[in-house]
Amino acid sequence: MVKAGVIGQELADKPLDFNFQRAARTDKAVSAVRQCCSMWLDLEKDANIDTVPSLINAQLPDDIRVMGLKRATKGFHCQKNCDSRTYSYTLPTFSFAPCVENTNMKFRISEEQLAEVNKLLGIYKGTHNFFNYTAKREHSDKSCFRYIISFECGKPFVYHDAVHGEVEFATIQIRGASFMLHQIRKMIGMVIAIMRGLANKSVIQKTWEEKRVDVPRAPGLGLMLEKVHYTTYDRKFSKTHATLDEWPECAAAIEEFREKCILANILKTEMKDNSMMNWLSVLLYHTYDGCEEGAPKPFCHAQHQINAANASESTENDKDTDAAERDDEKDDVTERKGIEGEGDSLVQADEGAKNVKAAIGER
């Protein structure tokens, strides 16, 4: 903004002096499509503000774009005036494969499985105490109550990768009044664990109670801030100021940027790094609803035995990672050390689980 001549260096050194604010914060490795910033700019009333975005974009890298600029009321605050926020999480559908099946990139989610995913996501709707889904918060902290408006997984789509061929993905959309650090990734992590048979459905309700529950945190790669909503502001000031909930004049450019710069990068990076497959291989080390720390569920005992050779070094590292999840000042940890390869050990573990299922009975 300084190089574009929009502000002076003195304001860049002290952003609060021109009331620079952002509507939402994101975790490390998380992208944003429609982030909104507010600020006071010294522009003439009749100045052509439509030229400002292009001036700033000329000084920015290609993966950061200013899409539009609008005048707002003098007291507008993009964070405080925001009614709700919509995020999306894109992930390979093999994440939801039961652990008694081979988990690989040929997996295709069934309509019944997708319906079950949406039933689990629907449990989170409404107001609940999410202290178990963030760090450094206690159950008594009233700020842990958050309101979830909608939470749904869309229809799967197929992505073609040069190495792995066709891989099925799905996108989960969640809208809420506000979210805490890691909250969305932990909600999705818990749903994945239940779908894979590592935790009971009832554990979701338990996470809202006083007892501390070990909730797994899904990788950050697939998470994206989709939109910030200003419904109340628009209702009050739409007759005198431009609306902020919708930006039709740049909607096409935003969608193109989302598809080509953000979503394409998420899919490509997932195929290259196998972040979800690697994360799935350590899910069974979470305690969920009360097992001794580090002890797998009986249902997945064969998985634990087979994975032990490849993950012997990861046990201590895993404990360190769990501690890191409760500290929002630590670096974001999405992969556990000691788990190597592209999911071969996970497939072997799934085969082992099949062999013991008959002996231990249904959960």
Side-chain angles (χ1 to χ4, degrees):
M1 293 175 70
V2 174
K3 291 179 179 179
V6 179
I7 62 171
Q9 187 60 51
E10 66 280 1
L11 291 181
D13 294 336
K14 295 182 179 180
L16 292 180
D17 285 358
F18 71 112
N19 204 31
F20 184 88
Q21 301 287 344
R22 79 286 177 273
R25 292 181 295 176
T26 56
D27 294 354
K28 181 179 178 181
V30 177
S31 300
V33 185
R34 296 173 181 85
Q35 176 67 286
C36 181
C37 296
S38 60
M39 67 208 76
W40 294 335
L41 294 180
D42 188 15
L43 300 173
E44 296 295 333
K45 187 175 182 180
D46 57 351
N48 183 10
I49 64 174
D50 293 336
T51 62
V52 175
S54 60
L55 294 174
I56 300 175
N57 286 334
Q59 308 297 328
L60 290 172
D62 292 339
D63 59 351
I64 304 177
R65 299 281 91 184
V66 177
M67 293 296 183
L69 184 66
K70 293 183 179 182
R71 295 183 186 274
T73 60
K74 186 177 181 180
F76 176 74
H77 190 293
C78 63
Q79 183 185 25
K80 294 179 181 179
N81 287 112
C82 181
D83 297 310
S84 59
R85 299 150 178 87
T86 296
Y87 284 81
S88 70
Y89 191 88
T90 301
L91 73 171
T93 58
F94 62 68
S95 309
F96 301 119
C99 64
V100 293
E101 297 181 11
N102 285 342
T103 303
N104 56 51
M105 297 186 184
K106 295 180 181 180
F107 177 82
R108 298 293 184 265
I109 193 169
S110 67
E111 292 185 4
E112 292 75 18
Q113 289 171 320
L114 183 59
E116 182 62 23
V117 169
N118 280 317
K119 283 183 181 179
L120 294 173
L121 296 175
I123 297 174
Y124 285 103
K125 290 194 293 186
T127 301
H128 306 285
N129 189 323
F130 286 97
F131 89 106
N132 267 312
Y133 293 82
T134 188
K136 292 185 174 180
R137 299 290 183 92
E138 297 299 327
H139 185 268
S140 57
D141 189 340
K142 299 300 181 182
S143 68
C144 292
F145 282 90
R146 301 296 165 116
Y147 175 54
I148 306 301
I149 300 171
S150 61
F151 205 0
E152 185 175 5
C153 183
K155 293 182 178 180
F157 61 93
V158 174
Y159 172 73
H160 181 78
D161 179 69
V163 176
H164 300 96
E166 293 186 341
V167 182
E168 189 178 69
F169 282 79
T171 297
I172 297 171
Q173 294 270 355
I174 177 171
R175 181 176 177 179
S178 60
F179 299 96
M180 296 184 292
L181 179 71
H182 303 323
Q183 180 185 343
I184 297 174
R185 291 163 60 191
K186 288 204 167 197
M187 287 191 288
I188 292 174
M190 181 60 79
V191 170
I192 291 174
I194 294 172
M195 288 298 297
R196 291 187 61 78
L198 300 172
N200 293 318
K201 185 187 299 186
S202 60
V203 75
I204 295 179
Q205 280 84 0
K206 292 182 180 179
T207 61
W208 300 326
E209 300 172 358
E210 293 185 19
K211 183 180 178 181
R212 179 67 67 179
V213 177
D214 178 18
V215 180
R217 185 179 67 195
L221 176 63
L223 187 59
M224 187 192 315
L225 173 63
E226 291 280 358
K227 185 178 180 180
V228 286
H229 300 268
Y230 295 98
T231 308
T232 302
Y233 172 88
D234 285 353
R235 188 166 58 246
K236 288 183 178 180
F237 302 107
S238 60
K239 293 182 178 180
T240 58
H241 291 77
T243 59
L244 302 180
D245 213 31
E246 300 294 339
W247 296 62
E249 64 278 5
C250 53
I254 292 174
E255 190 60 28
E256 181 181 9
F257 182 86
R258 179 189 183 277
E259 294 294 322
K260 293 183 177 180
C261 294
I262 300 180
L263 183 59
N265 181 68
I266 288 175
L267 299 174
K268 181 179 178 180
T269 304
E270 177 61 43
M271 292 295 91
K272 180 173 67 74
D273 296 342
N274 292 296
S275 61
M276 181 57 74
M277 185 71 80
N278 291 334
W279 178 76
L280 290 177
S281 65
V282 296
L283 263 185
L284 63 95
Y285 291 100
H286 285 273
T287 58
Y288 303 105
D289 54 351
C291 282
E292 294 182 7
E293 186 172 357
K297 299 282 187 179
F299 187 69
C300 295
H301 184 62
Q303 290 179 287
H304 177 61
Q305 289 180 322
I306 294 172
N307 274 326
N310 292 330
S312 59
E313 295 181 2
S314 71
T315 304
E316 292 301 321
N317 292 333
D318 219 51
K319 294 179 180 179
D320 294 340
T321 302
D322 288 338
E325 286 185 347
R326 300 185 181 96
D327 188 349
D328 56 3
E329 295 178 356
K330 296 288 186 182
D331 287 337
D332 186 40
V333 179
T334 59
E335 293 182 12
R336 312 298 174 92
K337 296 179 180 179
I339 302 295
E340 302 290 341
E342 300 184 355
D344 290 339
S345 62
L346 197 60
V347 174
Q348 293 173 344
D350 291 338
E351 291 289 351
K354 285 183 180 179
N355 295 333
V356 298
K357 180 179 179 182
I360 63 174
E362 295 290 339
R363 289 178 60 80

